[in-house]
Amino acid sequence: MRVLVVEDDQELGRVVASRLRSTGFAVDLADRLADADVKLAVSNYDCLVVDRGLPDGDGLALVRSLRRSGRRVPVLMLTAMGEVVERVAGFDEGADDYMVKPFAFAELAARVGALCRRAEPPRPPVVEVGDLEVDMARRRVRRAGVLLTLTAKEFAVLELLVARAGQVVPRADLIDCCWDEMAEPMSNVVDVVVSQLRRKLGAPAVIGTVRGVGFVIDGTP
Ligand code: CA
């Protein structure tokens, strides 16, 4: 995750950058709007942290121009301008979050992390694992091009296994995700549905069993 920090207070900028880096972000620094424009033109960022009082203008102007040009990169305003009208103006211009100085670094890092996660691209509507094709939006499944007819329960189980392809999905997660609270955790409902699914998916087998843990779909395409 790459973050651009726009801050003209060099000491504060340096500390913010180093704190964010220690949390695992890649961080670039700009100390004025013109510098931020240059960096935004050449790099893609997952999140921006923007001060308002900058030597060549208000950081909000940067947010406004980004939004006008259709760029939706999440922006957190980090500023001493903390009046309600100032905060509201920030959101009105398209900021996603607003923190007022002084602030806690841990909270800043947590908020930046939340903004980055929110901006992650949604799952592709059609997920392919080997010759298996799962259309998440239309809820259709094909194996080697052949359309299969699955029950809602079978689809729900397959959807979770495919979403976590390459990882073992514990039986308890399948029950949590695909059954309501009436399901008996010790019952064999999961095994029954998985064996129906296996039969419909055909050979070679797609769903592996990890004894005592759960099930896995091989993630290698
Ligand atoms: Ca400033």
Side-chain angles (χ1 to χ4, degrees), residues 145-176:
V146 179
L147 188 64
L148 308 177
T149 310
L150 302 187
T151 65
K153 195 67 82 185
E154 289 160 0
F155 186 86
V157 167
L158 183 65
E159 188 180 30
L160 185 62
L161 292 173
V162 164
R164 297 205 209 152
Q167 304 168 40
V168 179
V169 180
R171 192 175 294 262
D173 285 15
L174 283 165
I175 290 183
D176 274 348

Side-chain angles (χ1 to χ4, degrees), residues 45-46 66-67 69-75 94 96 119:
Y45 293 98
D46 299 294
L66 279 172
R67 299 306 182 232
S69 64
R71 292 181 74 169
R72 301 179 62 177
V73 55
V75 178
D96 301 277

Side-chain angles (χ1 to χ4, degrees), residues 7-198:
E7 172 63 68
D8 63 318
D9 179 329
Q10 296 210 343
E11 176 60 17
L12 181 61
R14 201 185 53 74
V15 177
V16 166
S18 91
R19 293 295 184 106
L20 288 175
R21 284 187 191 116
S22 71
T23 326
F25 296 100
V27 184
D28 292 344
L29 266 169
D31 64 358
R32 59 193 62 221
L33 293 175
D35 188 17
D37 285 339
V38 170
K39 291 196 159 76
L40 282 162
V42 295
S43 301
N44 279 317
Y45 293 98
D46 299 294
C47 183
L48 271 52
V49 175
V50 182
D51 181 23
R52 287 196 60 176
L54 293 162
D56 52 353
D58 186 334
L60 266 191
L62 174 67
V63 183
R64 192 181 308 129
S65 79
L66 279 172
R67 299 306 182 232
R68 280 191 183 154
S69 64
R71 292 181 74 169
R72 301 179 62 177
V73 55
V75 178
L76 182 151
M77 304 304 300
L78 181 61
T79 165
M81 300 166 76
E83 298 294 326
V84 171
V85 287
E86 291 164 335
R87 294 171 187 239
V88 170
F91 288 109
D92 282 347
E93 295 291 358
D96 301 277
D97 202 355
Y98 204 102
M99 276 185 84
V100 177
K101 297 169 181 169
F103 61 96
F105 287 106
E107 186 181 355
L108 174 68
R111 285 177 183 243
V112 168
L115 288 174
C116 287
R117 281 196 301 279
R118 212 184 295 164
E120 275 176 6
R123 263 197 316 216
V126 179
V127 178
E128 290 179 28
V129 180
D131 63 355
L132 182 67
E133 219 180 275
V134 182
D135 185 330
M136 302 290 198
R138 294 201 186 84
R139 310 182 72 74
R140 277 191 202 147
V141 179
R142 288 174 194 273
R143 178 93 198 261
V146 179
L147 188 64
L148 308 177
T149 310
L150 302 187
T151 65
K153 195 67 82 185
E154 289 160 0
F155 186 86
V157 167
L158 183 65
E159 188 180 30
L160 185 62
L161 292 173
V162 164
R164 297 205 209 152
Q167 304 168 40
V168 179
V169 180
R171 192 175 294 262
D173 285 15
L174 283 165
I175 290 183
D176 274 348
C177 197
C178 310
W179 275 269
D180 58 29
E181 66 277 10
M182 300 303 287
E184 169 58 59
M186 301 309 288
S187 72
N188 66 344
V189 284
V190 176
D191 303 80
V192 171
V193 170
V194 168
S195 75
Q196 285 162 3
L197 248 182
R198 281 184 171 137

Side-chain angles (χ1 to χ4, degrees), residues 199-210:
R199 203 172 57 242
K200 290 185 180 177
L201 292 172
V206 184
I207 303 174
T209 302
V210 179

